[in-house]
Amino acid sequence: MKAPPPPAPKPTVRPKPSPTPVSYPEYRPAPRKAPPSGGPSLVSLTLLITAPAVLAVAALRPR
């Protein structure tokens, strides 16, 4: 006995475009934040994080 054919897929309903134009608020770029003053520089922070990792990899590598 043959299995019945699978049901046909139902068509998907697509939303219709809005008949009236949509208005968006005017684009305003975010104000620039001042760089942090008095703290360590970005280079110092990067070295503080990466230097111990590099030394650990060099010390723990298989010989």
Side-chain angles (χ1 to χ4, degrees):
M1 211 168 140
K2 259 184 154 181
K10 295 180 181 177
T12 58
V13 178
R14 293 186 181 172
K16 294 185 179 180
S18 175
T20 58
V22 178
S23 65
Y24 294 102
E26 183 179 335
Y27 174 74
R28 288 175 288 162
R32 290 198 167 231
K33 295 178 182 172
S37 59
S41 70
L42 186 60
V43 174
S44 297
L45 289 175
T46 304
L47 289 174
L48 186 68
I49 299 297
T50 57
V54 169
L55 290 175
V57 167
L60 298 175
R61 71 183 179 96
R63 297 173 194 251

